[in-house]
Amino acid sequence: MTLFVRVCGLGELEEDTPKRVELDGTPISVVRTEGEVFAINDICSHANVSLSEGEVDDCHIECWLHGSRFDLRSGKPDALPATRPVPVYPVKIEGDDVLVSLTQES
Ligand code: FES
């Protein structure tokens, strides 16, 4: 069974402004963009930096350190230096609650 847990309120999310949350010790960047909400692991796959401090554009989040951009739908990087994907997680919206499951989507 997939367990969804509330991580924040929908009203706390500003468009294109990532919010860092923790779920069972896992840092997650929650992003509201283009009418959807995405959850991606907050640690860049290239080095140990927080993706939630980066910019969001065109359904991607950009690592502020070296500029790799990760697709919020798949976690895959579309530019070097990162070569490995970052885990992404299923999101459910229930009323004003944003729920995330640590089950990995890809
Ligand atoms: S630390 Fe993220 S691209 Fe290098």
Side-chain angles (χ1 to χ4, degrees):
M1 193 180 89
T2 306
L3 181 65
F4 281 87
V5 178
R6 184 189 188 277
V7 293
C8 64
L10 192 57
E12 296 172 51
L13 297 177
E14 282 180 47
E15 184 83 5
D16 295 341
T17 304
K19 180 177 177 62
R20 181 183 165 114
V21 299
E22 283 209 5
L23 182 53
D24 290 344
T26 300
I28 298 171
S29 182
V30 183
V31 181
R32 183 177 193 170
T33 188
E34 302 190 1
E36 284 192 65
V37 177
F38 299 92
I40 186 166
N41 193 286
D42 194 42
I43 305 301
C44 182
S45 64
H46 182 236
N48 188 17
V49 303
S50 184
L51 289 177
S52 58
E53 292 171 34
E55 306 258 310
V56 173
D57 183 43
D58 193 24
C59 229
H60 287 69
I61 190 164
E62 182 175 309
C63 178
W64 58 271
L65 190 55
H66 303 119
S68 284
R69 296 172 77 247
F70 297 90
D71 192 318
L72 289 165
R73 296 157 291 206
S74 66
K76 292 186 181 143
D78 72 350
L80 293 172
T83 54
R84 287 174 295 125
V86 173
V88 292
Y89 308 103
V91 175
K92 264 203 308 203
I93 308 296
E94 284 182 2
D96 183 53
D97 293 332
V98 178
L99 301 104
V100 171
S101 168
L102 283 182
T103 308
Q104 220 171 298
E105 270 191 343
S106 61

